Amino acid sequence: MTVEAFRALHHGRAADDPLVLPGPWDAASARVFADAGFPALATPSAGVAASLGREDGHTPADEMFAAVTRIVRSVSVPVSADIEAGYGLAPKELVARLLDTGAIGCNLEDSDSVTGALKDPRPHADWLAEVRAAAGGALFINARMDTFLQGVADPDEAIGRIRLYEEAGADCVYPLGVPPEHLPLLRAETALPINVSPLPGGPALAELGRLGATRITFGPQLQQEAMQKVREIADRLLG
C-alpha cells in the first residue's frame, strides 16, 4: 500500500467506523496484527521502548529506527511510526532516516520527550512545516498535541494548536488524552482526521467515531495487556 492509499484510509469513513490501527512493539506482534487483517499498523514509542528494555522517552534514535525497520520488514501492510519529538534531528535528516525504515507515516509530538514540557506551538508548527517540506507527500504526518495530557483542560488551547499544525501541513491531529465530551468541539474546528486513544472505562471505539474520532491508536496499552498475559503465564508456571 502506498502512502496515498494510507491517506485514503482516513477519509470517507462512516462516523461509527473509525480507522483502527493496532500498535506493534516488535516484529512478532506486528505479524499477529497484520495476519489478523488490519490494513495498517502504528507503532507506539512507549511499547517499543519497553520491548528494548528502555523507559519511555529514553530510547536512542538509532535503536528506535532499527526497531521500526524490523517491524516494517516483517509485514506487508503499511506502518506509521511514533518517533516522539524527533530526537533533536534536523527535519531533512529526520525524514531521511524515517523513510529508510520503510515507514510511510509518523507521530510527532509537541512536548519534550524527556521533560514532558509543552513546546511553544508556533515554533513547533514552523518545525512541522519544515518536516512537511522535507518529506513532500512521502510521509503521513500525525501531529500530536499534549495539552490535555499536560493538564491544560481548556479545549481552546488544543484548537489553537490544531489550526497551527493544520496550516503547517499535518495530515492528521492527535489530541492525546482528550476528554470524549470535547471531541465534537474539536471535530467542528478542523477538516483533518482526528486520532484518539481510548481512555480506560471510556466510550467504545464506534462511539468515539460518532463523537468525532477518525482514527484510533492505543499507545502502549496493547503491549501492556500482552505483558499482563505473560505475567499470568509466569505465575501459573510458578504454581
Side-chain angles (χ1 to χ4, degrees), residues 121 145 147-148 152 154-167 173 175 182-190 194:
M145 61 214 52
T147 55
F148 297 112
V152 181
D154 185 354
D156 286 342
E157 178 65 26
I159 289 169
R161 289 175 182 254
I162 286 172
R163 289 172 178 163
L164 285 171
Y165 303 164
E166 183 172 3
E167 291 172 2
V173 289
H182 288 334
L183 269 173
L185 178 59
L186 270 57
R187 176 72 285 156
E189 295 293 334
T190 181
I194 297 177

Side-chain angles (χ1 to χ4, degrees), residues 8 12 26 29 37 44 48 59 66-67 69 76 80 106 111 152 160 169 178 188 199-200 212 215 221-222 226 229 233:
D26 59 13
S29 59
V48 173
T59 305
T69 300
S76 59
S80 181
C106 63
S111 60
V152 181
V178 58
L199 299 173
R215 148 175 162 164
Q221 293 178 42
L222 304 181
K229 294 296 183 182
I233 292 170

Side-chain angles (χ1 to χ4, degrees), residues 23-26 28-29 46-53 220-235:
W25 52 94
D26 59 13
S29 59
V48 173
S51 76
L52 298 172
Q221 293 178 42
L222 304 181
Q223 186 266 343
Q224 291 168 354
E225 288 182 28
M227 291 306 99
Q228 180 58 40
K229 294 296 183 182
V230 173
R231 178 57 187 266
E232 292 172 9
I233 292 170
D235 289 343

Side-chain angles (χ1 to χ4, degrees), residues 20-219:
V20 178
L21 301 180
W25 52 94
D26 59 13
S29 59
R31 284 194 291 268
V32 170
F33 291 132
D35 289 347
F38 288 97
L41 307 174
T43 70
S45 63
V48 173
S51 76
L52 298 172
R54 299 281 188 179
E55 293 183 20
D56 187 23
H58 293 271
T59 305
D62 288 350
E63 291 188 28
M64 183 60 74
F65 288 124
V68 171
T69 300
R70 289 192 293 271
I71 289 170
V72 170
R73 74 186 181 199
S74 72
V75 295
S76 59
V77 299
V79 176
S80 181
D82 183 347
I83 50 173
E84 303 178 88
Y87 307 110
L89 299 173
K92 286 185 179 180
E93 181 181 0
L94 179 65
V95 167
R97 296 196 66 178
L98 185 57
L99 290 175
D100 282 346
T101 70
I104 51 77
C106 63
N107 284 4
L108 291 168
E109 61 199 46
D110 64 0
S111 60
D112 185 279
S113 298
V114 177
T115 68
L118 282 169
K119 297 181 178 181
D120 186 319
R122 290 191 180 277
H124 183 68
D126 291 341
W127 179 78
L128 284 175
E130 292 183 50
V131 174
R132 172 86 285 160
L139 287 174
F140 183 98
I141 297 176
N142 188 28
R144 195 181 102 180
M145 61 214 52
D146 290 352
T147 55
F148 297 112
L149 183 67
Q150 299 302 330
V152 181
D154 185 354
D156 286 342
E157 178 65 26
I159 289 169
R161 289 175 182 254
I162 286 172
R163 289 172 178 163
L164 285 171
Y165 303 164
E166 183 172 3
E167 291 172 2
D171 294 284
C172 184
V173 289
Y174 181 11
L176 183 59
V178 58
E181 62 269 22
H182 288 334
L183 269 173
L185 178 59
L186 270 57
R187 176 72 285 156
E189 295 293 334
T190 181
L192 289 181
I194 297 177
N195 189 151
V196 172
S197 289
L199 299 173
L205 304 188
E207 179 60 19
L208 286 173
R210 284 188 285 268
L211 290 170
T214 311
R215 148 175 162 164
I216 307 293
T217 58
F218 301 89

